[in-house]
């Protein structure tokens, strides 16, 4: 499955507006980039698995992005389907391993599509902090709303609930949920749906996903959505009622 970093889209929109204002300048603008490496944790057949994940957002179209870890292992990021200014690499479930990714500096090399512009490098530090496994305790429907309940994860900063259809397309994402909450409910009349045509239909099967978030220790309230350290994921198959 692909778990794109779409829970940051609110912050993304704010920075995109700033970058788009710069694009109105007739002179070529210098390449400016936000880069983030974080760890994704999942439970597969009762075993804990990890994978490094990467995300880059620029103020102009990108040609390529590579990332290199502390042990010189390298990754090629992929262009996002919806924007040439976004590149990411979210490993498939089968690519997760038993080992926590190495902490330390991850070096991003970013090349824009502007032919006369030299590539730039950005460093993002991955810390050695992680979250425990997150678990969905139960789900149920009440008044045509899906209720998701979970056990609190120590040190989690926020939670997010997402919903995927049978084709693994992300169709709903909740606002950030406070770390002292262990329940969230939503229905078709709430905001957060990708669009009106993809809202849930009674009798159809979906996958509900709970994400616990840990931000980098140096992040602030203004930039934390672009400075994620660790996410822990649990999911449950449901039939919408």
């Amino acid at each position: 499955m692909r778990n794109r970093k779409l829970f940051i889209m609110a912050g993304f929109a704010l920075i995109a507006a700033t970058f788009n204002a710069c694009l109105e300048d007739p002179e070529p603008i210098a390449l400016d980039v936000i880069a983030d490496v974080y760890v994704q944790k999942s439970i597969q057949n009762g075993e804990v698995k990890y994978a490094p994940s990467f995300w880059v957002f620029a103020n102009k179209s990108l040609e390529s992005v590579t990332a290199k870890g502390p042990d010189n292992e390298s990754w090629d990021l992929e262009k996002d389907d919806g924007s040439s200014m976004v590149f990411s690499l979210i490993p498939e479930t089968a690519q997760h391993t038993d080992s926590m990714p190495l902490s330390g500096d991850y070096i991003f090399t970013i090349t824009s599509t502007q032919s006369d512009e030299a590539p730039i490098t950005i460093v993002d530090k991955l810390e050695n902090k992680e979250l425990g496994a997150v678990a969905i305790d139960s789900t149920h429907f009440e008044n045509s709303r899906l209720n998701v309940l979970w056990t609190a994860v120590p040190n989690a900063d926020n939670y997010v609930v997402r919903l995927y259809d049978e084709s693994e397309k992300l169709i709903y994402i909740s606002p950030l949920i406070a770390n002292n909450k262990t329940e969230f409910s939503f229905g078709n009349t709430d905001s957060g749906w990708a669009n009106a045509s993809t809202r849930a239909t009674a009798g159809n099967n979906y996958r509900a996903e709970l994400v616990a978030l840990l931000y980098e220790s140096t992040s602030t309230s203004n930039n934390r959505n672009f400075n994620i350290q660790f996410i822990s994921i649990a999911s449950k198959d449901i039939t919408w009622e």
Side-chain angles (χ1 to χ4, degrees):
M1 71 186 69
R2 281 200 176 285
N3 293 300
R4 294 185 180 276
K5 194 175 178 181
L6 292 182
F7 47 78
I8 60 170
M9 291 309 290
F12 178 99
L14 291 176
I15 291 186
T18 301
F19 280 176
N20 287 338
C22 295
L23 290 173
E24 295 176 0
D25 193 323
E27 296 296 324
I29 58 172
L31 179 60
D32 194 6
V33 173
I34 297 169
D36 195 16
V37 56
Y38 62 101
V39 179
Q40 181 171 292
K41 180 179 189 175
S42 61
I43 305 297
Q44 301 176 29
N45 299 319
E47 296 184 354
V48 175
K49 300 290 183 179
Y50 302 90
S53 302
F54 306 91
W55 184 88
V56 163
F57 174 53
N59 62 339
K60 60 172 67 177
S61 295
L62 298 178
E63 180 66 32
S64 66
V65 179
T66 61
K68 182 178 290 187
D71 59 352
N72 288 322
E73 182 177 359
S74 62
W75 299 263
D76 293 322
L77 279 63
E78 303 169 357
K79 183 174 70 173
D80 187 84
D81 294 338
S83 175
S84 60
M85 297 189 297
V86 178
F87 273 59
S88 63
L89 180 61
I90 315 299
E92 303 289 343
T93 300
Q95 297 173 306
H96 292 206
T97 69
D98 298 332
S99 301
M100 173 79 171
L102 290 174
S103 59
D105 290 343
Y106 284 73
I107 302 172
F108 293 79
T109 301
I110 302 105
T111 304
S112 77
T113 56
Q114 186 177 322
S115 60
D116 60 346
E117 186 170 40
I120 66 171
T121 58
I122 298 290
V123 177
D124 189 51
K125 184 178 292 292
L126 184 66
E127 300 172 344
N128 60 3
K129 299 178 180 179
E130 67 173 288
L131 292 174
V134 64
I136 296 176
D137 295 332
S138 65
T139 60
H140 66 275
F141 282 87
E142 185 175 347
N143 297 324
S144 300
R145 297 172 63 83
L146 174 63
N147 288 262
V148 182
L149 295 89
W150 62 89
T151 300
V153 177
N155 301 317
D157 290 314
N158 282 117
Y159 299 97
V160 166
V161 171
R162 304 191 286 205
L163 191 71
Y164 294 80
D165 65 16
E166 288 189 292
S167 66
E168 287 299 318
K169 180 180 179 181
L170 178 62
I171 61 171
Y172 173 83
I173 181 165
S174 75
L176 290 173
I177 303 166
N179 62 358
N180 62 346
K181 303 295 184 181
T182 57
E183 181 178 0
F184 181 79
S185 66
F186 66 99
N188 277 327
T189 59
D190 292 298
S191 60
W193 296 94
N195 55 67
S197 64
T198 59
R199 296 186 182 186
T201 302
N204 285 1
N205 297 321
Y206 300 92
R207 178 169 59 84
E209 188 175 78
L210 173 67
V211 182
L213 305 174
L214 176 67
Y215 303 113
E216 295 176 14
S217 62
T218 57
S219 67
T220 68
S221 58
N222 293 326
N223 66 21
R224 62 184 183 177
N225 287 335
F226 302 95
N227 287 282
I228 293 171
Q229 160 66 20
F230 198 96
I231 68 174
S232 186
I233 297 174
S235 62
K236 182 179 181 181
D237 294 329
I238 65 156
T239 301
W240 195 269
E241 296 181 8

